[in-house]
Amino acid sequence: MNLSFENKVALVTGAASGMGLAAAQAFAAEGAAVALADVNETAARSAAEQLVAAGHKAIAIRCDVSDEAQVKAMVEQTVSTFGRLDAAFNNAGVQSPIAELADASGEEFDRVNGINLRGVFNCMKYELIQMRKQASGAIVNNSSLGGLVGVPGRAMYHAARRNRTYEKRCSRVRRERHSDQCGMPWDHRYSHGLGDANR
């Protein structure tokens, strides 16, 4: 199997740390130009600079994926810098505080769903617009076992992850008419220090 991404362009959200950073580094190591997007601009910029210093092509973009205008600008900046978008890894996400549903706030519900669910919608929307123009591309949405099973005190998180799973499945049904590929890895996020930096 040829895993080379030579002359390809990859976009990674939540790229300042953790799995997002590891993915960005892996894309770069295989020859891709990489856009590292994260709400933590300082950390994303530092990671991008390290990749550039190692001889790779990379840029950092500050982006809160819950903000549709920022996501649109993120994709546009990626394409204006590198000319296209071949792969996207939608990894940004946050955890919710442990709380019984009766004690949870509407504001926290909106925050978690805004990033974990609406964020994926925002990213896929503009990534697919670009990939449709190219008639090619691949998208991977990072999800969680939290989309399949639940634990006490995490209702908001599990609800967002469950819907994220089906958002991707529904998109895949439509996108099979085109030449891009859709996928979703299952990952147990609890052990990865998921927080606001990966947003």
Side-chain angles (χ1 to χ4, degrees):
M1 179 182 293
N2 182 8
L3 297 179
S4 174
F5 283 85
E6 198 71 35
N7 300 317
K8 302 294 186 181
V9 178
L11 168 63
V12 180
T13 66
S17 62
M19 288 177 288
L21 177 57
Q25 292 168 336
F27 274 124
E30 294 300 328
V34 186
L36 293 84
D38 202 286
V39 72
N40 186 340
E41 183 178 14
T42 300
R45 191 170 303 281
S46 175
E49 289 172 351
Q50 290 178 33
L51 289 176
V52 171
H56 304 296
K57 296 178 180 178
I59 59 170
I61 304 172
R62 187 199 181 282
C63 183
D64 178 346
V65 297
S66 67
D67 185 318
E68 184 173 348
Q70 289 189 37
V71 171
K72 181 175 185 289
M74 171 187 73
V75 174
E76 288 176 345
Q77 184 175 345
T78 300
V79 175
S80 67
T81 301
F82 297 125
R84 56 187 294 110
L85 177 61
D86 298 291
F89 181 42
N90 297 324
N91 168 71
V94 293
Q95 182 59 276
S96 61
I98 296 176
E100 294 299 323
L101 188 60
D103 301 320
S105 70
E107 290 80 7
E108 184 62 18
F109 179 88
D110 289 341
R111 183 185 79 91
V112 172
N113 279 274
I115 298 165
N116 291 356
L117 183 58
R118 177 61 188 262
V120 171
F121 166 82
N122 290 339
C123 290
M124 289 184 67
K125 174 181 174 65
Y126 291 100
E127 291 159 359
L128 287 169
I129 288 172
Q130 176 60 33
M131 291 175 180
R132 186 165 58 187
K133 293 176 184 177
Q134 303 168 178
S136 67
I139 298 173
V140 173
N141 292 335
N142 198 3
S143 189
S144 167
L145 286 178
L148 298 176
V149 298
V151 297
R154 295 290 191 191
M156 292 182 291
Y157 177 79
H158 292 305
R161 289 298 180 173
R162 182 68 171 176
N163 285 314
R164 186 169 182 160
T165 301
Y166 281 95
E167 180 177 51
K168 184 60 185 180
R169 288 180 181 176
C170 291
S171 174
R172 182 171 188 167
V173 170
R174 173 68 181 88
R175 294 305 300 166
E176 282 177 350
R177 294 186 183 180
H178 300 274
S179 58
D180 62 313
Q181 302 297 312
C182 300
M184 176 163 322
W186 299 108
D187 171 69
H188 199 293
R189 302 292 296 241
Y190 306 120
S191 63
H192 292 279
L194 187 64
D196 283 334
N198 279 345
R199 175 170 159 194

